[in-house]
Structures are given as structure tokens and as C-alpha cells.
Amino acid sequence: MKRSNNPAGTIPGPTRREALGFLGAGAALLATSAPSRPAFAQGDDVLTEALVLRDPDAPATGNLDGDINIVEWFDYNCPYCRKIAPEIQQVVQDDGKVRLVLKDWPILGDVSKYAARVALAAKYQDKYLPAHEALIGVSSRLTEPRIRELVAGAGIDMDRLNRDLSSNAKAIDTILARNHDQAVAFGFKGTPSFIVGKFRVPGILTMAEFEMVIADARKAKKSN
């Protein structure tokens, strides 16, 4: 967890459930808050609804036809990401109508970057989720040998993985860069960070608080 502004589980009132207008003019307004974003400088608006909520390169789980999206930016070496992972899954399962979008954001060093690349490479054999669950489910800090041990144990074909890491390196780097640009654009300071519907949640919530934000997101969606 690379964060110093809030203790785990608490979000100050003004930003805890801050509404986002990341469509149309709203994206331009957000762009003014982070002028150094490379993607924006190149004219590629990473804050469109399609790229934030429906990026075809970003793995998703839960109800893929759900009415509300939770988008999570996470790092496999972030202890808070590991702690909250089963709670988020429980919220998604209990609700039944939430689509969870997983955005690898490896900000805690080279091993984090390697873990993210390995997980995304596993996607090419349709095993991102087993790789993700194996890596996010450990309690100790990851190393490259441990990463390979975990994903092999999750049933990943390691020869295929090695080939995909090489042949799809550019595509993997592109999605990681896009995830990073989005996180910076939203003003996130560390992992985990979330979008729930069109609300920004830059930190950890309890299960009850997630349920409340999901309910608020549904109300906001109906009022539009």
C-alpha cells in the first residue's frame, strides 16, 4: 500500500464518494487536474466510459451483465489489496448484479510489475482469474520465483506463459500504461483505489460501505 493520506478503511467525507463526470465534457475537466499524463498529451482520452468501465483488455469477473461496475486498481504486493480482495468478492457475490473490473497497477517495484505482466499474460490462455487469485491470495511479499510457483500451482501452462510474455509484451505494456494513466487522471495516490458506478473511492471501504456506495451508484444511475 503506497498511501499516506488516510488510515485503512476511512475516507474523508468530501472525497469518500465523490461523483465523477468522466464522459464528454467531464473528461476534459478531469484532464486539467493532471496535465502531465502522457496519454492525454498524445490526445488519447483514457477517461472515456468505454476505457474505464468496458476496456476489452481489462479482465472482469462477477456478473458480466451487471448493472453497476466496480473498477479496482491494485498491486499484487499491496497488503491492503490482499486484505480487501475476499471482502470485495463477497460483496460482488452477495449483490449478484455487480461487474468487477480488475486493473493491474503495479506501483510497488519491479516484482509488482512482473506479477502484473504474468497475470495478464495468463489471460492469453484464458487463465487470468486463476493467476490473479493465486497471486492476490498470499500473505507474504512476492518474489519472481514465488510468482512462478504460484501461477504454476494454479494450473497455468508455464511454457505457454513464457511465450505469451514475450510475444505479447507490447500489448501487456499498453494496458498497464493505460491503467496507470487512468489512476493518475483520477488523482489516486495508491492502491487499492476504486470507481463504483461513477463515484471515485480513493481508498479502502468496509463491506457495508461498499454496499452503500453501490446503492448510491444505482440511485444516481436511475436519476440520469
Side-chain angles (χ1 to χ4, degrees):
M1 175 82 171
K2 191 176 183 180
R3 185 189 306 280
S4 60
N5 54 340
N6 301 318
T10 63
I11 304 296
T15 61
R16 182 168 155 272
R17 289 178 290 154
E18 179 182 352
L20 288 181
F22 53 75
L23 304 181
L29 290 175
L30 282 171
T32 64
S33 67
S36 63
R37 291 191 312 277
F40 278 85
Q42 298 165 7
D44 179 12
D45 189 345
V46 295
L47 288 186
T48 64
E49 181 179 23
L51 285 180
V52 173
L53 303 182
R54 300 280 175 186
D55 188 337
D57 294 323
T61 185
N63 185 339
L64 299 184
D65 297 317
D67 62 339
I68 291 295
N69 289 279
I70 295 178
V71 187
E72 179 185 8
W73 284 260
F74 66 92
D75 185 305
Y76 286 114
N77 258 327
C78 166
Y80 295 93
C81 299
R82 297 171 184 160
K83 180 179 183 297
I84 202 172
E87 298 175 7
I88 297 171
Q89 288 292 345
Q90 191 65 52
V91 168
V92 170
Q93 179 179 325
D94 290 348
D95 183 282
K97 294 185 291 182
V98 171
R99 179 173 171 268
L100 176 62
V101 183
L102 298 166
K103 303 246 182 184
D104 293 82
W105 188 26
I107 57 175
L108 298 178
D110 290 341
V111 173
S112 292
K113 293 175 184 177
Y114 181 73
R117 287 190 174 95
V118 164
L120 290 169
K123 181 183 67 172
Y124 293 96
Q125 50 183 291
D126 296 322
K127 290 188 176 179
Y128 174 88
L129 288 177
H132 170 77
E133 290 168 1
L135 295 175
I136 205 71
V138 298
S139 57
S140 58
R141 191 166 181 84
L142 293 170
T143 63
E144 290 192 14
R146 180 63 171 148
I147 290 166
R148 297 186 66 81
E149 178 185 357
L150 287 166
V151 297
I156 309 303
D157 181 331
M158 298 305 290
D159 290 335
R160 169 73 187 274
L161 182 76
N162 291 335
R163 293 195 299 271
D164 286 329
L165 278 169
S166 177
S167 61
N168 296 294
K170 185 176 180 179
I172 292 169
D173 287 344
T174 296
I175 182 61
L176 290 176
R178 186 156 63 242
N179 291 351
H180 173 79
D181 289 343
Q182 290 173 347
V184 171
F186 282 125
F188 296 144
K189 303 301 183 184
T191 54
S193 293
F194 303 89
I195 296 293
V196 181
K198 292 187 181 180
F199 292 104
R200 182 170 67 96
V201 183
I204 299 174
L205 299 183
T206 65
M207 290 178 66
E209 287 171 333
F210 265 116
E211 290 168 357
M212 183 170 63
V213 178
I214 291 168
D216 286 351
R218 286 198 171 103
K219 290 178 184 177
K221 186 176 180 180
K222 289 180 180 179
S223 66
N224 290 341

